[in-house]
Amino acid sequence: MSVISGFIEQYTKRLDFYREAARICAQVCETNMEQMGIRTIVTSRAKKPERLRDKLEKRGFQKNYNSYEDICEDIADLSGVRIALYFPGDLYKVQQFIEGHFRVKECRIFPDAMQYQEGQEGEYKKRFSGYWATHYRVYMTNEILPEDARKYKDTLIEIQVASALMHAWAEVEHDLVYKPYSGELSYEEYQILDELNGLVLAGEIALQRLQKAVKNRVSQVGKEFNNHYELAMYLYNKLGYVSEDSPREIVLGRVDLLYNCIKASDYNKPENLKEFISQVNPEIKNRPIVEQLLDRISENDPELYERYRNVKQSEELKYQLDTLNMNRENGNRQGEANTLANIGYIYASKENYDEAINYFMKAVEINHEIGGIQGEANQLQNIGSTYRLKGDPQKALEFCNQAIALHRQINYKQGQANTLGTIGNIYADQGSYAEALSSYEEALDIYRETNYKTGEIIQLNNLGALYLKQKLLEKALFYFNLALKVCMECDYKTGEGDALHNIGSIRLEKGEIHEAITYFEKALSIQEASGNQKNKVGIMISLGKAYARKGEKQKAMSLFQDALMLSNHIEFKNGMEEAQENLNLLQD
């Protein structure tokens, strides 16, 4: 059997695998394009075996394939996705998305120099430039793949991005010119294809003008946005360019959800959004434009932010429930368990701990049935963490001990360390400092052994916090400074903000109020850029306490009020209680 025949035979057996990889990739692209307000048509396919054979046999004479690896290296579009743009002017936004969410192996831009070469004598010479598109060869990442689909992350996928007009013309030309099943084309047929190419290029210019006309219309005072595409166009027009011809890399976020929240309000007009847009920082990548806008709007209309969060959580819950039903219909037990866990996380974030535990328990049962020991252990730990939040330390320890036993059974080091950290937190809550210290130190050793820097930083901060609770300030300061050093070495901004906050807390405890304020303000600046709102609340409260001790009562009250408002917006119960408690103390 030849190399090509053997490859086709193996490919045919794995056709469903390549088709599913392309489908998942297309779904990721389509969902994000829709949410970002970019009009596209997204399709996917796996290469047909008979077409692949024809292509390999034609190329084989030049390529001289000696192995399957030679073919895989040469043929990059076994799994393919097409993104057809309504407006060619949106190409840059799509490129930003692809480069930010996929691992890009290669990018090819058409037309290239070869397409401008004149034909040989007697051949038809094109008047127009041919195919205009950008082709990416990418791998999906763990961040965008569901846990049960991570087997596709090493599959090379070609994403072709062009206008809808160009894709249509290219499909016709490709089948007629490069796959001439009905024979060689005549001179007149080449002329007609070239003429159509000219019409398509003219059509793209018309689409660019149409997009500009739409931009001008949606920016008019008094005109409401008719849909989230118009809202996205307006936001991008205001924030997505340094100058008229210089696009800026921005992260818009869920424009579709923002539109659903504002469409029945006064904010659904350009003139009423303009004030808030001027307060947005497009350079912050960790907090999307939509979230920043809602931060500003919610100061005037707290109910709107509440509406946004409810819509967002309801949509995410609906998506997970739909995925759960799909996994059950397909008999995908591992996918079912993973989705149950995701639903548990959603309920835990809403502080509905009983419902969260219910879903985590269902995930445990399925993992146990199918022999998924690591998944079972992970969910047992989630149950333990949830019981801790619920205020039941005995139950929390019971489930965490079950989890760590399973992690040790399969020698999963990071799982052991994660659970040890949770156990340390449970003991620290109870004031059992010796037991907490032992758990934190064991977790720290494992994280260092496995070179997991984030885990190391978390445990260093835990150790510092443990000594701070015991008023052992110098020991606490030692661990917080160590955490800060590791954060700066690996550029972990959230951890750096935590460490600065913790060092500020020690300075405040020692009566060094000016130094404490300096550390708190640095921490606040970092957390504002990272978008971690709960951490931001904690720092604002600490900063308020520092100003209260300094005697600046109005400054302190303003910080506590801001912390209370933000806590309400993000449904952070502990933050609400602490901010209100400190306000009450100042008002007495």
Side-chain angles (χ1 to χ4, degrees), residues 566-580:
L566 181 54
S567 297
N568 277 314
H569 292 164
I570 63 175
E571 297 181 348
F572 181 27
K573 185 178 178 182
N574 291 341
M576 287 185 260
E577 291 174 353
E578 189 175 358
Q580 187 62 61

PDB file of all heavy atoms in Angstrom, residues 566-580:
ATOM      1  N   LEU A 566     -19.871  48.832  45.105  1.00  0.00           N
ATOM      2  CA  LEU A 566     -19.286  47.800  44.246  1.00  0.00           C
ATOM      3  C   LEU A 566     -19.669  46.407  44.725  1.00  0.00           C
ATOM      4  O   LEU A 566     -19.983  45.521  43.922  1.00  0.00           O
ATOM      5  CB  LEU A 566     -17.759  47.957  44.201  1.00  0.00           C
ATOM      6  CG  LEU A 566     -16.988  46.965  43.325  1.00  0.00           C
ATOM      7  CD1 LEU A 566     -17.518  46.954  41.891  1.00  0.00           C
ATOM      8  CD2 LEU A 566     -15.494  47.285  43.337  1.00  0.00           C
ATOM      9  N   SER A 567     -19.684  46.202  46.034  1.00  0.00           N
ATOM     10  CA  SER A 567     -20.080  44.902  46.600  1.00  0.00           C
ATOM     11  C   SER A 567     -21.508  44.555  46.224  1.00  0.00           C
ATOM     12  O   SER A 567     -21.829  43.404  45.907  1.00  0.00           O
ATOM     13  CB  SER A 567     -19.929  44.902  48.123  1.00  0.00           C
ATOM     14  OG  SER A 567     -18.591  45.073  48.501  1.00  0.00           O
ATOM     15  N   ASN A 568     -22.383  45.563  46.269  1.00  0.00           N
ATOM     16  CA  ASN A 568     -23.782  45.346  45.849  1.00  0.00           C
ATOM     17  C   ASN A 568     -23.854  44.957  44.386  1.00  0.00           C
ATOM     18  O   ASN A 568     -24.599  44.049  44.006  1.00  0.00           O
ATOM     19  CB  ASN A 568     -24.605  46.617  46.085  1.00  0.00           C
ATOM     20  CG  ASN A 568     -25.084  46.728  47.525  1.00  0.00           C
ATOM     21  OD1 ASN A 568     -25.586  45.762  48.087  1.00  0.00           O
ATOM     22  ND2 ASN A 568     -24.921  47.893  48.130  1.00  0.00           N
ATOM     23  N   HIS A 569     -23.051  45.618  43.559  1.00  0.00           N
ATOM     24  CA  HIS A 569     -23.084  45.359  42.113  1.00  0.00           C
ATOM     25  C   HIS A 569     -22.643  43.941  41.791  1.00  0.00           C
ATOM     26  O   HIS A 569     -23.200  43.299  40.889  1.00  0.00           O
ATOM     27  CB  HIS A 569     -22.164  46.338  41.375  1.00  0.00           C
ATOM     28  CG  HIS A 569     -22.662  47.748  41.420  1.00  0.00           C
ATOM     29  ND1 HIS A 569     -21.854  48.832  41.118  1.00  0.00           N
ATOM     30  CD2 HIS A 569     -23.876  48.264  41.734  1.00  0.00           C
ATOM     31  CE1 HIS A 569     -22.562  49.942  41.250  1.00  0.00           C
ATOM     32  NE2 HIS A 569     -23.782  49.624  41.619  1.00  0.00           N
ATOM     33  N   ILE A 570     -21.642  43.454  42.506  1.00  0.00           N
ATOM     34  CA  ILE A 570     -21.107  42.120  42.184  1.00  0.00           C
ATOM     35  C   ILE A 570     -21.647  41.042  43.123  1.00  0.00           C
ATOM     36  O   ILE A 570     -21.168  39.901  43.108  1.00  0.00           O
ATOM     37  CB  ILE A 570     -19.563  42.120  42.206  1.00  0.00           C
ATOM     38  CG1 ILE A 570     -19.017  42.453  43.599  1.00  0.00           C
ATOM     39  CG2 ILE A 570     -19.010  43.075  41.163  1.00  0.00           C
ATOM     40  CD1 ILE A 570     -17.499  42.349  43.702  1.00  0.00           C
ATOM     41  N   GLU A 571     -22.630  41.416  43.943  1.00  0.00           N
ATOM     42  CA  GLU A 571     -23.263  40.475  44.881  1.00  0.00           C
ATOM     43  C   GLU A 571     -22.238  39.829  45.812  1.00  0.00           C
ATOM     44  O   GLU A 571     -22.254  38.611  46.036  1.00  0.00           O
ATOM     45  CB  GLU A 571     -24.036  39.392  44.114  1.00  0.00           C
ATOM     46  CG  GLU A 571     -25.183  39.938  43.293  1.00  0.00           C
ATOM     47  CD  GLU A 571     -25.943  38.854  42.558  1.00  0.00           C
ATOM     48  OE1 GLU A 571     -25.459  37.710  42.490  1.00  0.00           O
ATOM     49  OE2 GLU A 571     -27.031  39.154  42.049  1.00  0.00           O
ATOM     50  N   PHE A 572     -21.360  40.663  46.376  1.00  0.00           N
ATOM     51  CA  PHE A 572     -20.298  40.185  47.278  1.00  0.00           C
ATOM     52  C   PHE A 572     -20.768  40.441  48.708  1.00  0.00           C
ATOM     53  O   PHE A 572     -20.588  41.518  49.260  1.00  0.00           O
ATOM     54  CB  PHE A 572     -19.005  40.929  46.960  1.00  0.00           C
ATOM     55  CG  PHE A 572     -17.819  40.515  47.793  1.00  0.00           C
ATOM     56  CD1 PHE A 572     -17.712  39.236  48.341  1.00  0.00           C
ATOM     57  CD2 PHE A 572     -16.767  41.410  48.013  1.00  0.00           C
ATOM     58  CE1 PHE A 572     -16.623  38.866  49.096  1.00  0.00           C
ATOM     59  CE2 PHE A 572     -15.664  41.040  48.757  1.00  0.00           C
ATOM     60  CZ  PHE A 572     -15.589  39.771  49.309  1.00  0.00           C
ATOM     61  N   LYS A 573     -21.378  39.421  49.312  1.00  0.00           N
ATOM     62  CA  LYS A 573     -22.046  39.572  50.608  1.00  0.00           C
ATOM     63  C   LYS A 573     -21.075  40.002  51.709  1.00  0.00           C
ATOM     64  O   LYS A 573     -21.368  40.925  52.487  1.00  0.00           O
ATOM     65  CB  LYS A 573     -22.717  38.247  50.987  1.00  0.00           C
ATOM     66  CG  LYS A 573     -23.546  38.315  52.258  1.00  0.00           C
ATOM     67  CD  LYS A 573     -24.226  36.984  52.538  1.00  0.00           C
ATOM     68  CE  LYS A 573     -25.014  37.015  53.831  1.00  0.00           C
ATOM     69  NZ  LYS A 573     -25.640  35.707  54.123  1.00  0.00           N
ATOM     70  N   ASN A 574     -19.914  39.345  51.781  1.00  0.00           N
ATOM     71  CA  ASN A 574     -18.943  39.687  52.837  1.00  0.00           C
ATOM     72  C   ASN A 574     -18.460  41.127  52.703  1.00  0.00           C
ATOM     73  O   ASN A 574     -18.273  41.836  53.695  1.00  0.00           O
ATOM     74  CB  ASN A 574     -17.754  38.728  52.799  1.00  0.00           C
ATOM     75  CG  ASN A 574     -18.133  37.326  53.238  1.00  0.00           C
ATOM     76  OD1 ASN A 574     -19.156  37.130  53.881  1.00  0.00           O
ATOM     77  ND2 ASN A 574     -17.320  36.348  52.898  1.00  0.00           N
ATOM     78  N   GLY A 575     -18.256  41.550  51.446  1.00  0.00           N
ATOM     79  CA  GLY A 575     -17.831  42.931  51.216  1.00  0.00           C
ATOM     80  C   GLY A 575     -18.893  43.923  51.645  1.00  0.00           C
ATOM     81  O   GLY A 575     -18.595  44.962  52.250  1.00  0.00           O
ATOM     82  N   MET A 576     -20.158  43.619  51.345  1.00  0.00           N
ATOM     83  CA  MET A 576     -21.265  44.493  51.762  1.00  0.00           C
ATOM     84  C   MET A 576     -21.290  44.653  53.282  1.00  0.00           C
ATOM     85  O   MET A 576     -21.421  45.760  53.813  1.00  0.00           O
ATOM     86  CB  MET A 576     -22.600  43.919  51.281  1.00  0.00           C
ATOM     87  CG  MET A 576     -22.876  44.041  49.795  1.00  0.00           C
ATOM     88  SD  MET A 576     -24.552  43.452  49.384  1.00  0.00           S
ATOM     89  CE  MET A 576     -24.194  41.820  48.759  1.00  0.00           C
ATOM     90  N   GLU A 577     -21.176  43.505  53.974  1.00  0.00           N
ATOM     91  CA  GLU A 577     -21.267  43.526  55.438  1.00  0.00           C
ATOM     92  C   GLU A 577     -20.116  44.307  56.055  1.00  0.00           C
ATOM     93  O   GLU A 577     -20.319  45.123  56.975  1.00  0.00           O
ATOM     94  CB  GLU A 577     -21.288  42.090  55.963  1.00  0.00           C
ATOM     95  CG  GLU A 577     -22.572  41.336  55.623  1.00  0.00           C
ATOM     96  CD  GLU A 577     -22.525  39.871  56.017  1.00  0.00           C
ATOM     97  OE1 GLU A 577     -21.435  39.410  56.446  1.00  0.00           O
ATOM     98  OE2 GLU A 577     -23.558  39.183  55.895  1.00  0.00           O
ATOM     99  N   GLU A 578     -18.896  44.070  55.553  1.00  0.00           N
ATOM    100  CA  GLU A 578     -17.731  44.753  56.144  1.00  0.00           C
ATOM    101  C   GLU A 578     -17.752  46.248  55.852  1.00  0.00           C
ATOM    102  O   GLU A 578     -17.437  47.068  56.726  1.00  0.00           O
ATOM    103  CB  GLU A 578     -16.429  44.118  55.630  1.00  0.00           C
ATOM    104  CG  GLU A 578     -15.204  44.625  56.376  1.00  0.00           C
ATOM    105  CD  GLU A 578     -13.920  43.924  55.971  1.00  0.00           C
ATOM    106  OE1 GLU A 578     -13.968  43.008  55.125  1.00  0.00           O
ATOM    107  OE2 GLU A 578     -12.855  44.310  56.506  1.00  0.00           O
ATOM    108  N   ALA A 579     -18.100  46.615  54.615  1.00  0.00           N
ATOM    109  CA  ALA A 579     -18.159  48.041  54.267  1.00  0.00           C
ATOM    110  C   ALA A 579     -19.212  48.759  55.103  1.00  0.00           C
ATOM    111  O   ALA A 579     -18.982  49.860  55.624  1.00  0.00           O
ATOM    112  CB  ALA A 579     -18.456  48.204  52.778  1.00  0.00           C
ATOM    113  N   GLN A 580     -20.385  48.132  55.260  1.00  0.00           N
ATOM    114  CA  GLN A 580     -21.458  48.746  56.040  1.00  0.00           C
ATOM    115  C   GLN A 580     -21.065  48.865  57.515  1.00  0.00           C
ATOM    116  O   GLN A 580     -21.349  49.884  58.165  1.00  0.00           O
ATOM    117  CB  GLN A 580     -22.742  47.917  55.905  1.00  0.00           C
ATOM    118  CG  GLN A 580     -23.966  48.565  56.538  1.00  0.00           C
ATOM    119  CD  GLN A 580     -24.313  49.884  55.889  1.00  0.00           C
ATOM    120  OE1 GLN A 580     -24.614  49.939  54.700  1.00  0.00           O
ATOM    121  NE2 GLN A 580     -24.268  50.972  56.654  1.00  0.00           N
TER     122      GLN A 580
END
